[in-house]
Amino acid sequence: MRRFYLGLNAGGPKVFRCLFGHGNKDDVRELSEILAQKYHGKPILMKNGRSALALALKSYFDYGDKIIVNGFTCHAVVEAITEAGMTPVFADITKENLNFDVNTISKVMGSKVKGIIVQNSLGNPVDIEKIEQFAAEKNLLIVEDLAHSAGVKYPDGRLVGTVGVATALSFGKDKAINAISGGAVILRFSAKHQIEAPFKTPRLSDVLRARFYPFFCALSRGLNHIHLGGILMKALIKIHWVERSADNRLSLIRRMPKYQARLATEQIKNWRHRGQAKLREFYLVEKRPEVLEKLKKAGYYFDAFWYEKPVSPERYYKQVFFPENKCPVAMEVTSKIINFPNYYTREELKKAYEIIQPYLVEDKK
Ligand SMILES: *Cc1c(COP(=O)(O)O)cnc(C)c1O
């Protein structure tokens, strides 16, 4: 069984391409053209996904507006909203697809709510037609966050990212398009506020960290059989040579490195082989610690856990003031969820399912 650290499934080629790969203006132009064609708007390449989301919010909303977000999300989303001077309003999710629906959105509506961020959790699309209709009735603008779902289609056949006023993509580790870091925003309608696109070159320390990341992952995997992989990774995080995804800083002025544009382009071009691939396969179980123990014994590795809190990672959770009593389903889900990144093979997932099956929550068996 393969094991991975920080979720990167990187073989030798990726290690070399990240370390030594280079990109130029043509790569940036090619990625921009592909995104423009797919999402019907002008793309702006950003340092990461949260910066892309913050730029989208600043472009269409006003300081002080409230924005509805999924009650099961990444801290990066909250960071983007806060950076834009707005307030997140969390809507509870359903167990079926881990997304809010019109019912839970309408419960948190208020006069200052001006927008909805659609997330399509772990690659499971929302019922977009109903949400679009609700948004139109209440005069809300939809922003689509494709960190989990780039390439996926909505139930009505439309590609995710082609519905809202703006589309934000993340090219970070573990995301639907993984170029270690980076992001893009497509403003599909004329913006209310003109925000300047990033103009500063990337910081050298950020570039080096991203370039060496797959190498360190491979090294740590190599050391794993003598149980030193985890220790190495922890040490590298401590001295800031490796950055955990959640700690990547938001910046509206730093550009995305050009070689990352090339990596992202390659992955988007391969989409037609992807089908409806989910970002992560999820299960809800009783007695989770026991199940995790069994899975670990069988060689499945859990590090980047999605999500142990309704806004993850846990170390940022307290500052969010999540309304736990208003999101009971999200609370239940975060105590029962187990999920696997999509680099596990069908065979591996089948074996995992055999371990999980006896523990599945009643209505999911
Ligand atoms: C990871 C993530 C982002 C943005 O990620 P970056 O690390 O800033 O690229 C946005 N939304 C969701 C739901 C995410 O999980």
Side-chain angles (χ1 to χ4, degrees):
M1 173 67 63
R2 296 167 295 164
R3 291 165 190 248
F4 304 103
Y5 283 97
L6 295 166
L8 190 91
N9 177 23
K14 185 142 190 175
V15 170
F16 280 98
R17 260 187 307 156
C18 282
L19 269 177
F20 306 114
H22 56 93
N24 53 36
K25 277 190 187 143
D26 290 339
D27 295 304
V28 170
R29 181 150 35 81
E30 188 177 10
L31 178 59
S32 300
E33 278 169 11
I34 290 179
L35 294 176
Q37 192 195 16
K38 276 204 189 311
Y39 300 114
H40 321 134
K42 188 180 176 310
I44 303 167
L45 302 189
M46 305 289 296
K47 184 189 174 211
N48 50 27
R50 68 200 75 185
S51 309
L53 201 51
L55 195 142
L57 295 171
K58 282 193 161 195
S59 301
Y60 292 102
F61 301 99
D62 295 315
Y63 194 88
D65 283 353
K66 291 186 173 175
I67 310 291
I68 294 177
V69 281
N70 206 50
F72 175 83
T73 193
C74 174
H75 184 257
V77 175
V78 176
E79 210 182 319
I81 296 172
T82 315
E83 165 70 27
M86 296 155 201
T87 313
V89 177
F90 298 97
D92 205 5
I93 58 173
T94 72
K95 289 185 200 172
E96 280 61 49
N97 56 24
L98 313 179
N99 295 312
F100 51 43
D101 61 13
V102 168
N103 176 38
T104 60
I105 293 175
S106 51
K107 280 187 189 152
V108 296
M109 268 304 292
S111 59
K112 282 193 139 186
V113 174
K114 297 288 159 58
I116 309 183
I117 297 176
V118 167
Q119 170 182 297
N120 303 309
S121 304
L122 309 186
N124 303 288
V126 298
D127 186 349
I128 194 68
E129 281 177 297
K130 288 207 180 119
I131 287 175
E132 216 181 354
Q133 196 185 342
F134 180 87
E137 278 165 21
K138 306 279 183 192
N139 255 326
L140 306 179
L141 300 181
I142 295 176
V143 170
E144 292 171 276
D145 172 3
L146 306 196
H148 294 192
S149 61
V152 167
K153 285 187 176 147
Y154 287 119
D156 66 4
R158 283 181 290 175
L159 183 67
V160 298
T162 59
V163 176
V165 285
T167 296
L169 294 124
S170 165
F171 305 138
K173 307 160 188 168
D174 300 338
K175 302 302 166 130
I177 302 165
N178 178 350
I180 315 299
S181 73
V185 59
I186 294 98
L187 306 180
R188 294 156 35 76
F189 291 87
S190 58
K192 190 170 180 184
H193 308 287
Q194 291 301 322
I195 313 293
E196 193 175 14
F199 51 88
K200 270 194 164 176
T201 52
R203 279 171 48 178
L204 184 63
S205 57
D206 285 335
V207 174
L208 287 176
R209 258 199 293 268
R211 279 193 178 272
F212 274 92
Y213 178 75
F215 170 74
F216 286 139
C217 285
L219 192 63
S220 140
R221 276 203 303 281
L223 288 174
N224 210 27
H225 63 284
I226 46 171
H227 304 288
L228 282 178
I231 296 171
L232 173 71
M233 263 299 165
K234 282 204 185 105
L236 290 169
I237 289 171
K238 188 126 209 169
I239 59 172
H240 302 289
W241 285 24
V242 164
E243 183 176 59
R244 288 179 290 199
S245 325
D247 299 337
N248 203 233
R249 298 249 72 84
L250 191 153
S251 168
L252 292 170
I253 59 173
R254 297 282 176 183
R255 279 200 291 251
M256 177 170 135
K258 296 189 184 79
Y259 81 96
Q260 286 178 345
R262 181 179 287 193
L263 291 178
T265 301
E266 279 168 18
Q267 287 174 46
I268 298 173
K269 280 182 175 169
N270 280 324
W271 272 1
R272 60 201 139 87
H273 309 301
R274 242 185 111 224
Q276 279 293 73
K278 295 210 177 127
L279 186 67
R280 303 175 78 95
E281 204 60 59
F282 81 93
Y283 307 95
L284 301 178
V285 299
E286 309 289 353
K287 300 191 194 158
R288 186 170 63 186
E290 195 175 311
V291 187
L292 285 176
E293 202 48 48
K294 285 192 177 175
L295 286 168
K296 275 180 195 161
K297 277 210 182 102
Y300 295 88
Y301 183 77
F302 296 91
D303 183 12
F305 199 93
W306 299 39
Y307 293 122
E308 76 281 18
K309 290 284 178 195
V311 181
S312 283
E314 196 160 8
R315 59 188 185 280
Y316 291 123
Y317 181 61
K318 277 219 183 87
Q319 34 191 92
V320 177
F321 301 106
F322 186 79
E324 297 189 345
N325 53 348
K326 287 191 184 153
C327 297
V329 182
M331 295 310 291
E332 188 191 341
V333 163
T334 46
S335 71
K336 294 183 173 170
I337 193 165
I338 289 182
N339 57 85
F340 296 86
N342 62 13
Y343 49 67
Y344 281 108
T345 64
R346 204 166 286 193
E347 275 307 303
E348 287 167 335
L349 285 176
K350 221 170 113 191
K351 274 200 196 133
Y353 185 76
E354 281 165 21
I355 297 174
I356 291 169
Q357 206 271 339
Y359 294 91
L360 287 179
V361 298
E362 269 315 314
D363 48 353
K364 281 273 172 184
K365 263 184 192 164

